[in-house]
Amino acid sequence: MDFMTAVKTCFSKYVDFNGRARRSEFWWWALFTFLVGIVAGILDRALGTTYGVNDSNGLIGTLSSLALLLPGLAVAARRLHDTGRSAWWLLLIIVVFFGWIVLFVFYVLDSQPGDNRFGPNPKTGPAGYDGGYPPPPPAYGSGQYGA
């Protein structure tokens, strides 16, 4: 998955906490949010919309962070699903330092092979089919269509 596809996928599934997300989708999204944060910080300083003690926060940065919060949580949940873990593991964010390390390790892990309880493997599609996603329709005469 390339950068633009990952960003489009995350925005199109911005509140979809079901399914699985590949590593590339998650890490391209992380890069996108990082770049948006840099641009927002530059715009805040240029436009004078910063606030706080040392002008570290700004209106544009706050609004962009709020806009990217739900898509970021959704792709993080789908990434955890891809490793076979529940999205409840995201609550480790509450643990100040240790939680971030554990989540980082989970995000780096490879996909769980085959299908799991969260859906088909996004790399290969449903189990038993390795020719791309989605699988082809059933063969004629298989009884699938009531024949």
Side-chain angles (χ1 to χ4, degrees):
M1 179 173 289
D2 64 343
F3 181 78
M4 288 304 294
T5 305
V7 171
K8 287 178 186 177
T9 301
C10 289
F11 275 124
S12 67
K13 296 181 175 184
Y14 77 101
V15 289
D16 185 8
F17 290 82
N18 298 318
R20 296 166 68 168
R22 296 176 67 172
R23 275 187 296 192
S24 59
E25 179 182 346
F26 177 80
W27 289 111
W28 283 124
W29 177 258
L31 177 65
F32 173 74
T33 57
F34 177 73
L35 295 175
V36 167
I38 289 174
V39 171
I42 292 170
L43 287 174
D44 277 330
R45 292 214 183 242
L47 297 175
T49 58
T50 57
Y51 54 86
V53 177
N54 56 2
D55 292 337
S56 60
N57 299 322
L59 179 65
I60 297 172
T62 301
L63 292 175
S64 64
S65 294
L66 285 174
L68 299 177
L69 177 66
L70 277 178
L73 287 174
V75 74
R78 291 194 311 270
R79 179 70 200 126
L80 288 172
H81 289 169
D82 194 41
T83 62
R85 290 168 181 79
S86 169
W88 287 104
W89 282 95
L90 285 173
L91 292 177
L92 281 177
I93 294 172
I94 297 170
V95 180
V96 177
F97 185 71
F98 176 72
W100 287 98
I101 294 172
V102 172
L103 283 174
F104 180 79
V105 169
F106 289 163
Y107 295 149
V108 171
L109 291 175
D110 196 12
S111 300
Q112 192 177 39
D115 299 349
N116 66 14
R117 62 187 171 135
F118 301 107
N121 189 338
K123 287 183 179 179
T124 61
Y129 179 73
D130 52 357
Y133 194 76
Y140 180 76
S142 64
Q144 175 94 12
Y145 298 112

